Amino acid sequence: MQNVKKIDIDKNQNGKRSRRRRRNFVGYYFIVIFLVVTIGVSLSVTLLFNINDIVVTGNTLYDSVEIIKATGIVKGDNLVRLNTEDAEKNILKKMLYVDDVKIKKGFPDKLYISLTPSVAMAYVQCQGGYMLISHGWRILDLTETPQDQSLLVINGFNPESTDRATKASSIDAGKNAILSQMLAQIDEQQMQNLISIDLSDKFNLKINYDNRITIVIGNSTDIKYKLKFANQLLTQTQELGENKKGYLIYHESHGYSFITEEEYNQINEKAANAAVSTEIFDASGTDVSSSSGTEITDTGNTSQPLTTDESAEDMPQQ
């Protein structure tokens, strides 16, 4: 007699029903989650996160009402849908005397607008006159001649545009970087009595100091060292005192040398008479101390000794 294997039909059917229920529950869960997310997103862009308070910071020529109006934003606008980049561009486009603006969302209902005011920094020579630019290089105004004598004048920059409210930029990208470095170091070294910077030849950079000494630093290599050294010589040596006029020239081999304006003119006159077309001081490394000028080296040795408030060891080293 064969053994008969009994099958519990009810048990099998119950198992199948349980599996179907679990599958159905998973589907229900997904539907519920989808509905919750959909409702949440809908509420966040309609009823929730609407702007109730706008906070403006930064001391500018414009009042808060003008600034908020310039953004195109009004109370009640939704923070989630708000495009802050467009609002920032609107302010910069409409408000000339703002260098920079940052707009941040403060959930659930605040908006923060932070402004950096434009502060005049320098006049930049351009076709037909000068551009007045801010510390952020924003073009504020155009004028035939510099009006504020306390501001630095930048010559030979060759700006690609003179449009107000745009940022000043040279047609020669290299001059943008050079000027940025020079201005940063002038500020860091706290250099005073500077009248102008000449970028006409970016390999022969010049600075007008106090309308009496032309600092010739050559190319832009080691600008920090060159300006720091020049500043110490101009402010701490008797030989370059209040009445001295001439040229302070940097030489790659031995530092700075000084030649008076009279000596400079004599040399140029001799060169012209000899029909020689040359620029006497082009940071080429030529030693000009033989023409009765004063040689100033970074070791403190000079053909005509200089006195400083610091020892030779305290002078900047390359």
Side-chain angles (χ1 to χ4, degrees), residues 21 28 50 53 83 94 106 142 160 165 247-248 256 269 283:
R21 288 195 194 97
Y28 295 150
N50 293 332
D53 188 19
N83 188 322
K94 297 175 182 179
L142 299 175
E160 60 182 358
Y247 294 79
L248 186 63
Y256 280 100
E269 185 178 351

Side-chain angles (χ1 to χ4, degrees), residues 51-67:
I51 299 172
N52 183 54
D53 188 19
I54 301 177
V55 180
V56 179
T57 59
N59 185 20
T60 68
L61 296 176
Y62 311 99
D63 61 36
S64 298
V65 175
E66 290 179 285
I67 294 167

Side-chain angles (χ1 to χ4, degrees), residues 24-189:
N24 290 337
F25 283 141
V26 171
Y28 295 150
Y29 292 148
F30 278 120
I31 292 174
V32 171
I33 292 173
F34 175 77
L35 290 174
V36 169
V37 171
T38 302
I39 294 171
V41 171
S42 178
L43 289 175
S44 68
V45 298
T46 53
L47 300 179
L48 302 178
F49 306 127
N50 293 332
I51 299 172
N52 183 54
D53 188 19
I54 301 177
V55 180
V56 179
T57 59
N59 185 20
T60 68
L61 296 176
Y62 311 99
D63 61 36
S64 298
V65 175
E66 290 179 285
I67 294 167
I68 294 172
K69 184 177 179 181
T71 64
I73 299 170
V74 296
K75 287 186 177 181
D77 284 351
N78 187 263
L79 283 174
V80 176
R81 292 182 296 175
L82 181 65
N83 188 322
T84 56
E85 290 186 7
D86 286 347
E88 291 170 353
K89 290 177 182 178
N90 287 340
I91 290 180
L92 292 175
K93 182 179 179 180
K94 297 175 182 179
M95 297 186 157
L96 179 61
Y97 294 98
V98 174
D99 257 13
D100 193 21
V101 56
K102 298 295 181 184
I103 299 179
K104 293 184 178 180
K105 300 174 182 180
F107 290 97
D109 62 355
K110 285 189 177 182
L111 189 71
Y112 297 94
I113 303 175
S114 176
L115 303 172
T116 301
S118 297
V119 178
M121 176 184 67
Y123 289 98
V124 176
Q125 185 185 39
C126 63
Q127 187 174 5
Y130 294 85
M131 307 184 306
L132 177 64
I133 67 170
S134 69
H135 285 272
W137 293 41
R138 191 167 170 83
I139 301 174
L140 305 177
D141 199 5
L142 299 175
T143 178
E144 292 185 2
T145 58
Q147 303 297 314
D148 188 343
Q149 300 303 314
S150 67
L151 297 180
L152 197 62
V153 175
I154 313 296
N155 296 315
F157 183 68
N158 304 124
E160 60 182 358
S161 174
T162 59
D163 294 339
R164 289 182 178 87
T166 62
K167 287 198 172 184
S169 179
S170 174
I171 58 176
D172 183 344
K175 290 186 177 182
N176 291 329
I178 291 172
L179 181 58
S180 179
Q181 292 178 53
M182 293 184 74
L183 293 175
Q185 288 307 313
I186 287 171
D187 183 61
E188 181 177 326
Q189 305 303 329

Side-chain angles (χ1 to χ4, degrees), residues 9 98 115 136 183 214 280 292:
I9 297 176
V98 174
L115 303 172
L183 293 175
T214 299
I280 303 303
S292 71

Side-chain angles (χ1 to χ4, degrees), residues 216-235:
V216 184
I217 67 174
N219 60 36
S220 60
T221 304
D222 296 326
I223 282 183
K224 179 176 181 177
Y225 167 79
K226 293 174 181 178
L227 294 184
K228 182 176 182 180
F229 193 4
N231 190 42
Q232 289 184 346
L233 294 173
L234 290 166
T235 57

Side-chain angles (χ1 to χ4, degrees), residues 245-247 259-269:
K245 292 185 178 182
Y247 294 79
I259 186 169
T260 66
E261 190 172 36
E262 181 180 358
E263 292 165 340
Y264 179 82
N265 292 334
Q266 289 175 355
I267 294 173
N268 278 339
E269 185 178 351

